[in-house]
Amino acid sequence: MPNKNSSISIIIPVLNEELCLGKLLNHLKSSSSNIKEIICVDGGSVDRTVEIAEQNGSKVIHSERGRAKQMNLGAKLSNGDILYFLHADTFPPKNFDQSILKAVENGFMAGCFRMKFDTKNVFLRFFAWFSGINLLLCRGGDQSLFVHKQLFEKTTGFNESYHIYEDTEFIARLYKNTKFKVVPDCVITSARKYREVGVLKLQFHFAVIHLKNFLGADAEELYRYYKKNIS
Protein backbone atom coordinates (compact mmCIF):
# COMPACT_ATOMS: atom_id res chain seq x y z
CA MET A 1 0.00 0.00 0.00
CA PRO A 2 1.17 3.59 -0.65
CA ASN A 3 2.86 5.58 2.10
CA LYS A 4 4.70 8.88 2.55
CA ASN A 5 8.05 7.15 2.05
CA SER A 6 7.20 5.71 -1.38
CA SER A 7 9.96 6.01 -3.99
CA ILE A 8 9.69 6.61 -7.72
CA SER A 9 11.48 4.81 -10.55
CA ILE A 10 11.36 6.65 -13.87
CA ILE A 11 11.41 4.27 -16.84
CA ILE A 12 12.19 5.69 -20.29
CA PRO A 13 12.09 3.38 -23.35
CA VAL A 14 14.62 4.70 -25.87
CA LEU A 15 15.69 4.04 -29.43
CA ASN A 16 17.99 6.52 -31.19
CA GLU A 17 16.99 9.47 -29.01
CA GLU A 18 20.32 11.33 -28.88
CA LEU A 19 18.71 14.62 -29.92
CA CYS A 20 16.35 14.92 -26.97
CA LEU A 21 17.44 12.49 -24.23
CA GLY A 22 20.12 14.71 -22.72
CA LYS A 23 17.71 17.63 -22.47
CA LEU A 24 15.11 15.43 -20.79
CA LEU A 25 17.53 13.97 -18.24
CA ASN A 26 18.79 17.44 -17.31
CA HIS A 27 15.19 18.59 -16.99
CA LEU A 28 14.35 15.69 -14.68
CA LYS A 29 17.28 16.54 -12.41
CA SER A 30 16.17 20.16 -12.08
CA SER A 31 12.45 19.45 -11.72
CA SER A 32 12.35 16.78 -9.02
CA SER A 33 13.94 15.71 -5.75
CA ASN A 34 12.24 12.42 -4.79
CA ILE A 35 13.41 10.15 -7.60
CA LYS A 36 15.03 6.87 -6.62
CA GLU A 37 16.38 6.07 -10.08
CA ILE A 38 16.08 6.86 -13.77
CA ILE A 39 16.18 3.81 -16.02
CA CYS A 40 16.71 4.14 -19.77
CA VAL A 41 15.73 0.90 -21.49
CA ASP A 42 17.46 0.81 -24.86
CA GLY A 43 16.00 -1.12 -27.76
CA GLY A 44 19.17 -1.22 -29.85
CA SER A 45 20.17 2.39 -30.52
CA VAL A 46 22.92 3.01 -33.09
CA ASP A 47 23.50 6.65 -32.15
CA ARG A 48 24.79 8.21 -28.88
CA THR A 49 21.66 7.45 -26.85
CA VAL A 50 23.30 4.98 -24.46
CA GLU A 51 26.37 7.17 -24.01
CA ILE A 52 24.21 10.21 -23.19
CA ALA A 53 22.12 8.22 -20.71
CA GLU A 54 25.22 6.97 -18.90
CA GLN A 55 26.86 10.40 -18.89
CA ASN A 56 23.79 11.78 -17.15
CA GLY A 57 23.81 9.15 -14.42
CA SER A 58 20.95 7.02 -15.67
CA LYS A 59 20.86 3.27 -15.33
CA VAL A 60 20.92 1.68 -18.79
CA ILE A 61 19.24 -1.63 -19.53
CA HIS A 62 19.48 -3.32 -22.92
CA SER A 63 16.31 -4.92 -24.26
CA GLU A 64 14.69 -6.37 -27.32
CA ARG A 65 13.12 -3.64 -29.43
CA GLY A 66 9.50 -2.78 -28.70
CA ARG A 67 8.26 -0.27 -26.16
CA ALA A 68 6.05 -2.78 -24.33
CA LYS A 69 8.99 -5.17 -23.91
CA GLN A 70 11.32 -2.34 -22.94
CA MET A 71 8.96 -0.90 -20.33
CA ASN A 72 8.17 -4.31 -18.84
CA LEU A 73 11.87 -5.09 -18.47
CA GLY A 74 12.50 -1.69 -16.90
CA ALA A 75 9.69 -2.29 -14.43
CA LYS A 76 10.99 -5.78 -13.59
CA LEU A 77 14.48 -4.45 -12.80
CA SER A 78 13.33 -1.30 -11.00
CA ASN A 79 13.65 -0.67 -7.26
CA GLY A 80 10.97 1.98 -6.71
CA ASP A 81 7.50 1.55 -5.23
CA ILE A 82 5.96 3.71 -7.98
CA LEU A 83 6.75 3.32 -11.67
CA TYR A 84 6.68 6.42 -13.86
CA PHE A 85 6.76 5.65 -17.59
CA LEU A 86 7.96 8.54 -19.70
CA HIS A 87 8.70 9.06 -23.38
CA ALA A 88 12.08 10.54 -24.28
CA ASP A 89 10.48 13.59 -25.91
CA THR A 90 8.04 14.38 -23.09
CA PHE A 91 8.95 16.85 -20.34
CA PRO A 92 7.10 16.64 -17.00
CA PRO A 93 6.12 19.78 -15.03
CA LYS A 94 8.24 21.06 -12.16
CA ASN A 95 7.75 19.06 -8.95
CA PHE A 96 6.01 16.29 -10.90
CA ASP A 97 7.37 13.80 -8.39
CA GLN A 98 5.53 15.53 -5.55
CA SER A 99 2.32 15.50 -7.60
CA ILE A 100 2.68 11.76 -8.17
CA LEU A 101 3.40 11.03 -4.50
CA LYS A 102 0.45 13.16 -3.40
CA ALA A 103 -1.90 11.34 -5.79
CA VAL A 104 -0.73 7.95 -4.54
CA GLU A 105 -1.04 9.04 -0.91
CA ASN A 106 -4.62 10.08 -1.69
CA GLY A 107 -5.43 6.58 -2.89
CA PHE A 108 -4.81 6.82 -6.64
CA MET A 109 -2.67 3.86 -7.62
CA ALA A 110 -2.34 4.99 -11.23
CA GLY A 111 -2.64 8.16 -13.24
CA CYS A 112 -1.16 10.57 -15.75
CA PHE A 113 -0.72 14.28 -16.39
CA ARG A 114 -2.53 16.58 -18.76
CA MET A 115 -0.61 17.29 -21.95
CA LYS A 116 0.46 20.19 -24.13
CA PHE A 117 2.39 20.05 -27.40
CA ASP A 118 5.53 22.10 -28.00
CA THR A 119 3.76 24.10 -30.69
CA LYS A 120 1.23 26.92 -31.04
CA ASN A 121 -0.71 25.01 -33.69
CA VAL A 122 -4.41 25.65 -32.99
CA PHE A 123 -5.53 22.14 -33.88
CA LEU A 124 -2.96 20.47 -31.63
CA ARG A 125 -3.86 22.81 -28.78
CA PHE A 126 -7.48 21.74 -29.28
CA PHE A 127 -6.60 18.03 -29.31
CA ALA A 128 -4.42 18.44 -26.20
CA TRP A 129 -7.29 20.07 -24.28
CA PHE A 130 -9.07 16.70 -24.19
CA SER A 131 -6.21 15.20 -22.15
CA GLY A 132 -7.73 16.89 -19.08
CA ILE A 133 -10.86 14.74 -19.30
CA ASN A 134 -10.76 11.58 -17.20
CA LEU A 135 -12.04 9.19 -19.86
CA LEU A 136 -10.19 6.30 -21.48
CA LEU A 137 -10.86 7.78 -24.93
CA CYS A 138 -8.70 10.78 -23.93
CA ARG A 139 -5.67 8.77 -22.77
CA GLY A 140 -2.34 8.22 -24.52
CA GLY A 141 1.28 7.42 -23.78
CA ASP A 142 2.50 10.98 -24.41
CA GLN A 143 0.70 12.05 -21.22
CA SER A 144 3.16 9.85 -19.26
CA LEU A 145 1.90 7.23 -16.78
CA PHE A 146 2.49 6.49 -13.13
CA VAL A 147 1.38 3.25 -11.52
CA HIS A 148 2.14 1.62 -8.18
CA LYS A 149 4.37 -1.39 -8.72
CA GLN A 150 1.97 -3.71 -6.89
CA LEU A 151 -0.81 -2.75 -9.29
CA PHE A 152 1.52 -3.04 -12.28
CA GLU A 153 2.34 -6.61 -11.31
CA LYS A 154 -1.30 -7.44 -10.53
CA THR A 155 -2.38 -6.28 -13.99
CA THR A 156 0.63 -8.04 -15.65
CA GLY A 157 2.06 -4.87 -17.17
CA PHE A 158 2.14 -4.02 -20.86
CA ASN A 159 0.92 -6.54 -23.43
CA GLU A 160 4.01 -7.33 -25.49
CA SER A 161 2.00 -8.41 -28.53
CA TYR A 162 1.29 -4.70 -29.14
CA HIS A 163 3.86 -2.89 -31.29
CA ILE A 164 1.78 0.27 -31.04
CA TYR A 165 -1.12 1.25 -28.76
CA GLU A 166 0.50 -0.58 -25.84
CA ASP A 167 -0.03 2.41 -23.54
CA THR A 168 -3.75 2.72 -24.18
CA GLU A 169 -4.34 -1.03 -23.98
CA PHE A 170 -2.66 -1.12 -20.56
CA ILE A 171 -4.41 2.01 -19.31
CA ALA A 172 -7.75 0.43 -20.28
CA ARG A 173 -7.00 -2.40 -17.85
CA LEU A 174 -5.93 0.08 -15.17
CA TYR A 175 -9.26 1.90 -15.49
CA LYS A 176 -10.98 -1.40 -14.73
CA ASN A 177 -8.84 -2.12 -11.68
CA THR A 178 -8.37 1.20 -9.88
CA LYS A 179 -9.28 4.86 -9.58
CA PHE A 180 -7.31 6.69 -12.26
CA LYS A 181 -5.99 10.19 -11.54
CA VAL A 182 -5.47 12.92 -14.16
CA VAL A 183 -3.09 15.41 -12.57
CA PRO A 184 -4.04 18.96 -13.68
CA ASP A 185 -0.44 20.01 -14.40
CA CYS A 186 0.80 19.48 -17.95
CA VAL A 187 3.65 17.59 -19.50
CA ILE A 188 5.08 19.16 -22.65
CA THR A 189 5.48 16.66 -25.46
CA SER A 190 7.03 16.94 -28.89
CA ALA A 191 4.81 17.38 -31.94
CA ARG A 192 7.56 15.95 -34.16
CA LYS A 193 5.41 13.12 -35.53
CA TYR A 194 2.68 15.59 -36.46
CA ARG A 195 5.25 17.76 -38.23
CA GLU A 196 6.49 14.73 -40.15
CA VAL A 197 3.12 13.29 -41.18
CA GLY A 198 0.78 16.29 -41.03
CA VAL A 199 -1.50 17.33 -38.19
CA LEU A 200 -4.92 16.44 -39.59
CA LYS A 201 -3.68 13.35 -41.43
CA LEU A 202 -2.03 11.90 -38.34
CA GLN A 203 -4.94 12.71 -36.06
CA PHE A 204 -7.33 11.07 -38.52
CA HIS A 205 -5.31 7.86 -38.59
CA PHE A 206 -5.03 7.84 -34.78
CA ALA A 207 -8.82 8.16 -34.63
CA VAL A 208 -9.18 5.20 -36.99
CA ILE A 209 -6.85 3.14 -34.79
CA HIS A 210 -8.97 4.01 -31.73
CA LEU A 211 -12.10 2.97 -33.64
CA LYS A 212 -10.55 -0.27 -34.86
CA ASN A 213 -9.56 -1.15 -31.31
CA PHE A 214 -13.08 -0.35 -30.07
CA LEU A 215 -14.50 -2.65 -32.75
CA GLY A 216 -12.26 -5.51 -31.64
CA ALA A 217 -9.18 -5.33 -33.87
CA ASP A 218 -6.22 -7.28 -32.50
CA ALA A 219 -2.67 -6.00 -32.00
CA GLU A 220 -1.45 -7.16 -35.43
CA GLU A 221 -4.29 -5.46 -37.31
CA LEU A 222 -3.61 -2.16 -35.51
CA TYR A 223 0.09 -2.42 -36.34
CA ARG A 224 -0.56 -3.21 -40.01
CA TYR A 225 -2.75 -0.13 -40.29
CA TYR A 226 -0.10 2.00 -38.57
CA LYS A 227 2.69 0.73 -40.83
CA LYS A 228 0.63 1.30 -43.97
CA ASN A 229 -0.67 4.78 -43.16
CA ILE A 230 1.71 6.40 -40.68
CA SER A 231 5.12 4.77 -40.38
Side-chain angles (χ1 to χ4, degrees), residues 7-104:
S7 57
I8 300 173
S9 291
I10 300 178
I11 299 170
I12 309 171
V14 293
L15 179 65
N16 298 327
E17 294 287 4
E18 66 177 5
L19 295 181
C20 57
L21 183 59
K23 296 177 184 178
L24 172 62
L25 295 177
N26 285 325
H27 174 78
L28 293 176
K29 294 175 186 176
S30 64
S31 303
S32 63
S33 57
N34 297 292
I35 302 303
K36 186 176 186 66
E37 60 188 352
I38 300 176
I39 302 173
C40 291
V41 190
D42 184 63
S45 296
V46 295
D47 62 2
R48 295 182 59 247
T49 294
V50 171
E51 177 186 347
I52 291 170
E54 292 175 340
Q55 287 176 347
N56 283 275
S58 297
K59 180 179 180 181
V60 175
I61 296 172
H62 296 279
S63 167
E64 292 183 50
R65 181 176 301 189
R67 281 196 312 200
K69 292 180 180 179
Q70 290 170 241
M71 291 188 287
N72 279 344
L73 182 58
K76 181 180 179 180
L77 299 179
S78 66
N79 297 300
D81 306 300
I82 302 165
L83 308 176
Y84 183 45
F85 297 97
L86 186 65
H87 290 182
D89 61 355
T90 298
F91 290 69
K94 189 173 180 62
N95 299 321
F96 67 92
D97 53 332
Q98 296 178 26
S99 297
I100 292 172
L101 292 173
K102 181 178 179 181
V104 173

Side-chain angles (χ1 to χ4, degrees), residues 89-148:
D89 61 355
T90 298
F91 290 69
K94 189 173 180 62
N95 299 321
F96 67 92
D97 53 332
Q98 296 178 26
S99 297
I100 292 172
L101 292 173
K102 181 178 179 181
V104 173
E105 288 169 13
N106 289 333
F108 293 95
M109 302 288 279
C112 69
F113 288 82
R114 292 180 60 198
M115 178 189 70
K116 290 182 179 179
F117 289 103
D118 63 347
T119 177
K120 295 182 180 180
N121 182 282
V122 174
F123 291 105
L124 288 182
R125 284 187 170 188
F126 174 71
F127 297 145
W129 178 85
F130 287 95
S131 67
I133 301 174
N134 198 348
L135 293 174
L136 179 60
L137 182 63
C138 302
R139 302 279 67 83
D142 286 333
Q143 299 161 20
S144 70
L145 173 69
F146 66 86
V147 55
H148 198 281

